[in-house]
């Protein structure tokens, strides 16, 4: 098949859609962020435009929660991404609870939520790139497998895809890591 050069297109989509939980000046706030990444085996990165209200809370408290979105949460998740905490109180959009960290509210309806501590902020011209250490992970028991591992085919986290501005649902296992490749000859 012939390949076409389409320019310097950032083509690492889709990415998991997440809701970031913070407190800004003592009040809960939520923001929808899908520009996330893995930094090592115990840290995540949130790439958040500097204009986001939640950035202030992450900087103030040095904590945040990262909550994976499933299909049942999608309308609320999209809402907290299209309205700004600078203008709208989003504290009551999701039911929430606290784990061990102050100012890192966790969403009750999220199948997987992580409490995180701020490690660093790699600032670029327009973005705060928060490096967060995962301190605790809370998982609905119905999305764990028989060994106590997260079964993402059960959790079905929603993915965000930028070029078509779409949400996608995951769920089908298509292979086994570090095993299927042994069949290659």
């Amino acid at each position: 098949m012939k390949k076409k050069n389409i320019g310097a297109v950032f083509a690492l989509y889709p990415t998991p859609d997440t809701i970031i939980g913070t407190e800004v000046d003592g009040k809960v706030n939520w923001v929808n962020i899908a520009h996330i990444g893995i930094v090592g085996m115990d840290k995540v990165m949130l790439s958040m435009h500097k204009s986001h209200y939640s950035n202030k809370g992450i900087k103030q408290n040095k904590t945040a929660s990262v909550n994976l979105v499933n299909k049942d949460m999608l309308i609320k998740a999209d809402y907290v991404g299209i309205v700004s905490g600078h203008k709208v109180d989003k504290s009551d959009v999701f039911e929430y609870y606290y784990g061990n960290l102050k100012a890192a509210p966790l969403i009750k309806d999220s199948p997987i939520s992580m409490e995180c501590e701020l490690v660093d902020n790699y600032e670029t011209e327009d973005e705060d790139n928060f490096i967060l250490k995962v301190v605790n992970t809370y998982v609905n028991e119905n999305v764990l497998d028989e060994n106590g591992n997260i079964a993402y085919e059960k959790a079905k986290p929603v993915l965000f895809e930028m070029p078509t501005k779409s949400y996608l649902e995951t769920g089908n296992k298509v292979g086994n890591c570090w095993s299927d490749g042994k069949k290659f000859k």
Side-chain angles (χ1 to χ4, degrees):
M1 178 172 282
K2 186 177 177 182
K3 300 271 187 176
K4 179 180 180 181
N5 181 347
I6 61 171
V9 173
F10 184 75
L12 290 179
Y13 293 103
T15 57
D17 192 34
T18 67
I19 302 301
I20 307 307
T22 61
E23 286 185 8
V24 180
D25 298 326
K27 187 170 220 167
V28 169
N29 191 65
W30 311 104
V31 65
N32 187 326
I33 298 294
H35 292 148
I36 63 170
I38 297 171
V39 182
M41 294 300 287
D42 65 343
K43 293 177 186 68
V44 296
M45 184 185 72
L46 309 174
S47 185
M48 298 171 58
H49 196 272
K50 288 184 176 181
S51 65
H52 284 300
Y53 185 65
S54 289
N55 295 27
K56 181 178 177 183
I58 295 171
K59 291 174 183 178
Q60 281 177 345
N61 302 298
K62 310 282 190 251
T63 61
S65 68
V66 178
N67 304 272
L68 269 62
V69 174
N70 64 20
K71 191 167 74 171
D72 295 337
M73 300 169 59
L74 200 51
I75 290 173
K76 290 179 180 181
D78 196 55
Y79 172 77
V80 299
I82 59 178
V83 298
S84 172
H86 289 287
K87 298 177 182 177
V88 176
D89 177 359
K90 299 186 272 184
S91 62
D92 65 350
V93 172
F94 296 102
E95 280 189 67
Y96 59 92
Y97 64 100
Y98 289 91
N100 295 326
L101 295 182
K102 176 185 149 214
L106 300 147
I107 297 175
K108 284 186 179 183
D109 289 337
S110 175
I112 303 165
S113 297
M114 294 172 280
E115 285 183 302
C116 302
E117 293 177 332
L118 179 64
V119 173
D120 201 359
N121 181 12
Y122 177 76
E123 292 187 52
T124 59
E125 186 176 325
D126 296 323
E127 305 289 323
D128 279 319
N129 295 284
F130 296 113
I131 308 297
L132 303 174
K133 179 178 177 154
V134 177
V135 175
N136 291 300
T137 302
Y138 301 89
V139 182
N140 289 355
E141 289 182 2
N142 67 340
V143 300
L144 294 174
D145 67 14
E146 60 279 353
N147 298 318
N149 297 313
I150 298 169
Y152 289 95
E153 66 274 14
K154 293 178 182 177
K156 296 186 178 186
V158 167
L159 302 176
F160 168 82
E161 193 269 315
M162 180 68 120
T164 62
K165 296 174 181 60
S166 301
Y167 293 112
L168 308 170
E169 185 178 33
T170 59
N172 296 324
K173 181 177 174 180
V174 296
N176 295 298
C177 301
W178 303 297
S179 176
D180 289 352
K182 295 175 182 175
K183 300 172 191 169
F184 182 78
K185 293 185 188 212

